[in-house]
Amino acid sequence: MVEQQITQEPRTELPVAIIGAGPVGLAAAANLIERGLTPIISEAGGTVGAAVRAWGHIRLFSPWRHNIDPASRRLLETTEWVEPPLASLPTGSELVEQYLNPLAAIPSISAALHTSTTVTAVSRAGMDKTHSRGRDERPFLIRTETTNGTVTDHRVRAVIDASGTWAQPNPLGQAGLLADGETEALARGLITEPLPDPMGADRTRFAGQHVLVIGAGHSAANTLLALGQLAKEEPKTRISWAVRGADTNRLYGGGDLDGLPARGQLGTQLRQLVEDGHITLHTSFTTIAFLSGDRLRVIGTTPDGETTLDVDLLIPATGFRPDLDMLREIRLELDPAVEAPRTLGPLIDPEFHSCGTVPAHGAKELAHPEKDFYIVGMKSYGRAPTFLLATGYEQVRSIVAALAGDLTAAAQVHLELPETGVCSTDLGGSCDAPSEDATPAEEAGSCCPAPEPVLVGIPTGLEHGRSNDK
């Protein structure tokens, strides 16, 4: 094992660790460099944007103008980079090739970037979680391991965790747990990875097969639309869709009311496929077990009792959750429901908020009891969906300002997000309160003509819109 930083080096002169080299992680690096601070970036994948590449065939809902970080743009403008048309919608691959790769090639970032390097633990140098005296003055200790097995400890002054949630998909079973037989079905390839590419690289895998998609939300919609196109070209392809909710009107989003037209069109097109009979929809379906053979038997429960679906392949679209294992020695304060930073959690909980808006937030809202440690980007949303890159860019701008000692800039957060055209609140009465596993894309119509209120300081009996018996 090698330790990269000398013990005697003052903490304020140490680099800032960034975990993850996706869009938000690289934005954090750009902001640090602009402030005269030194980043050290650890990326588990072999390239920048490794998770984005995994869904590179998917087109984003938001145009380029929402997907380029301002500090990163200023760095790129010192090079020969050509800015993409700001009104166009990039695919994941285009986001990587036209933005992340040029950004990572800038010498000040490339010198700090370590790919194929996984952060396995974050702690404080010389003390575990139980020790408090002088804790804030100690540097952080970041342990990394490369794909060839080299383990290295780094001492850093602060940590920005932008590692995302892509590697942690939610289980398919009930109550947030794996269903019986799920592990075997995964191992045998009968359950695929999230967001496969039926019209591209994975076409031969899905063509002519009976494919089941489980879950709701934007990932399910993208996958179902691609399968629908495949079925038109490969007529033997059959598509089934299972969701836990009972109300079919909740599945199609805000349509024309959505502030991002591409996101609204997803639900409109999906509804047409279902109504035309190209997709067989199973509502009120809870998965309880899988039986693996030449095909996959999916056993579920509905209000009418136990039922089975025999399919060739199953695509999971049940969302993701944060990996917190590497943070066991860090003092975190997380919302008990969505596993986001505690102050942020109530503002993004999909069971009570689904307009797609979120109040501007930064270093103050993302702080933990562990001084100078922050979780940002998709991981900062915990289990909540509807994260947009612009949110992460403002998060890291504020955090880096705080680390640089510019508390005024850190506190002046600004964020304008397009609404989904779908809202629900729960203040002793709600408009289409969501079901147990509903996401914002499962709501239908708009019952909130204006952005939903920030549910803070609710009177006794409700905490941020959540009942005491939740």
Side-chain angles (χ1 to χ4, degrees), residues 90-412:
T91 63
S93 293
E94 290 167 347
L95 187 72
V96 173
E97 298 301 327
Q98 298 179 39
Y99 174 52
L100 298 185
N101 281 349
L103 184 58
I106 293 173
S108 55
I109 290 184
S110 63
L113 178 62
H114 303 270
T115 56
S116 302
T117 302
T118 300
V119 173
T120 59
V122 181
S123 189
R124 287 280 188 180
M127 56 175 56
D128 63 20
K129 182 187 285 188
T130 66
H131 290 80
S132 299
R133 185 174 300 174
R135 187 174 186 87
D136 289 351
E137 286 69 48
R138 292 290 186 102
F140 288 92
L141 185 118
I142 307 296
R143 179 161 295 176
T144 64
E145 183 172 356
T146 63
T147 51
N148 65 10
T150 301
V151 176
T152 306
D153 285 349
H154 305 264
R155 291 173 182 259
V156 298
R157 61 170 291 189
V159 179
I160 300 174
D161 182 356
S163 57
T165 58
W166 179 256
Q168 292 282 119
N170 286 323
L172 289 161
Q174 62 179 325
L177 305 176
L178 288 167
D180 184 31
E182 185 170 345
T183 300
E184 181 183 356
L186 281 163
R188 297 183 63 165
L190 296 170
I191 299 176
T192 76
E193 68 283 356
L195 286 172
D197 187 7
M199 287 299 295
D202 301 316
R203 183 186 181 104
T204 57
R205 185 181 186 187
F206 293 102
Q209 302 296 302
H210 183 187
V211 184
L212 170 65
V213 177
I214 292 183
H218 302 132
S219 294
N222 271 305
T223 299
L224 288 160
L225 291 178
L227 289 170
Q229 182 61 39
L230 179 64
K232 290 181 181 179
E233 301 177 11
E234 302 282 352
K236 292 184 179 180
T237 305
R238 294 175 56 203
I239 310 166
S240 293
W241 180 22
V243 297
R244 290 185 188 173
D247 186 353
T248 58
N249 289 326
R250 291 180 171 180
L251 298 174
Y252 305 114
D256 293 340
L257 298 173
D258 197 311
L260 294 175
R263 184 171 59 190
Q265 290 168 12
L266 276 181
T268 302
Q269 295 169 10
L270 183 55
R271 181 193 293 271
Q272 195 64 52
L273 284 174
V274 173
E275 292 179 350
D276 290 347
H278 299 299
I279 296 173
T280 302
L281 175 61
H282 302 270
T283 58
S284 301
F285 186 97
T286 298
T287 307
I288 59 173
F290 298 101
L291 293 177
S292 298
D294 293 336
R295 304 180 77 211
L296 180 66
R297 171 159 289 186
V298 183
I299 304 172
T301 59
T302 71
D304 297 325
E306 189 171 293
T307 187
T308 62
L309 297 173
D310 291 317
V311 300
D312 296 301
L313 291 166
L314 187 156
I315 301 174
T318 49
F320 302 86
R321 59 181 62 180
D323 180 2
L324 302 173
D325 285 350
M326 66 179 172
L327 306 179
R328 288 184 63 87
E329 296 304 325
I330 291 297
R331 295 181 174 182
L332 301 178
E333 191 170 43
L334 297 175
D335 177 81
V338 296
E339 295 181 335
R342 191 174 186 100
T343 301
L344 177 62
L347 308 181
I348 60 174
D349 187 338
E351 193 161 341
F352 303 98
H353 303 277
S354 60
C355 287
T357 57
V358 61
H361 59 280
K364 179 181 177 181
E365 293 79 10
L366 296 170
H368 291 273
E370 198 75 69
K371 186 177 184 295
D372 294 338
F373 173 84
Y374 300 94
I375 299 173
V376 300
M378 187 67 239
K379 190 171 182 176
S380 74
Y381 268 41
R383 300 190 186 197
T386 69
F387 177 83
L388 294 177
L389 289 180
T391 304
Y393 296 156
E394 181 63 4
Q395 289 176 341
V396 296
R397 184 209 60 78
S398 172
I399 287 166
V400 170
L403 293 176
D406 188 348
L407 301 184
T408 300
Q412 293 175 346

